[in-house]
Amino acid sequence: MAVDSGASESVVSEDMLTRVTTVEGDAQKKGVQYEVADGTLMPNLGEKKFVAVSDGGVTRQMKAQVCEVNKALLSVRRVVQAGNRVVFSASGSFVQDEQTGETMELVEKGGMYMLRLWVKARSFGGPEPSR
């Protein structure tokens, strides 16, 4: 996921995380739309809740809003609200859990900081995927 300090929500498209079920969330019920850089509005299409594991083996429950995006974005705002700090540094960038101290390394790719995650093939707190 691209780490984005300007994103109000973490977002994925419907065709990302295909084994994780999209469910109706509060934002979709309220008719929330997201404004992209060119001013275009995109409707919220639901949310995906999933278990992700970093390359370093750190496991986290995550939630992303679904809309028509080309790239998965990880909202720094949401990461911080979940009890983490995000550090961008030439000597090493990472997300750190403020209680446990566990870190997830960020890597720079194409001028963006990325969090590489492995996603388990089913949602948490929702229906099992159909087989």
Side-chain angles (χ1 to χ4, degrees), residues 1 13 19 32-33 41 50-51 64 80 86-87 91 98-99 106 109 112 121 131:
M1 297 183 84
S13 68
R19 298 281 307 222
V32 168
Q33 296 187 61
L41 294 176
F50 54 97
V51 176
V80 169
V86 182
V87 175
S91 62
E98 290 189 313
Q99 286 191 327
L106 302 178
K109 182 177 178 185
M112 298 189 71
R131 301 216 182 249

Side-chain angles (χ1 to χ4, degrees), residues 95-111:
V95 174
Q96 183 177 46
D97 184 303
E98 290 189 313
Q99 286 191 327
T100 67
E102 289 180 307
T103 61
M104 294 183 287
E105 178 185 8
L106 302 178
V107 295
E108 189 177 351
K109 182 177 178 185

Side-chain angles (χ1 to χ4, degrees), residues 103-123:
T103 61
M104 294 183 287
E105 178 185 8
L106 302 178
V107 295
E108 189 177 351
K109 182 177 178 185
M112 298 189 71
Y113 289 95
M114 308 294 289
L115 177 60
R116 188 172 144 106
L117 297 170
W118 300 92
V119 176
K120 297 202 176 194
R122 61 187 287 273
S123 304

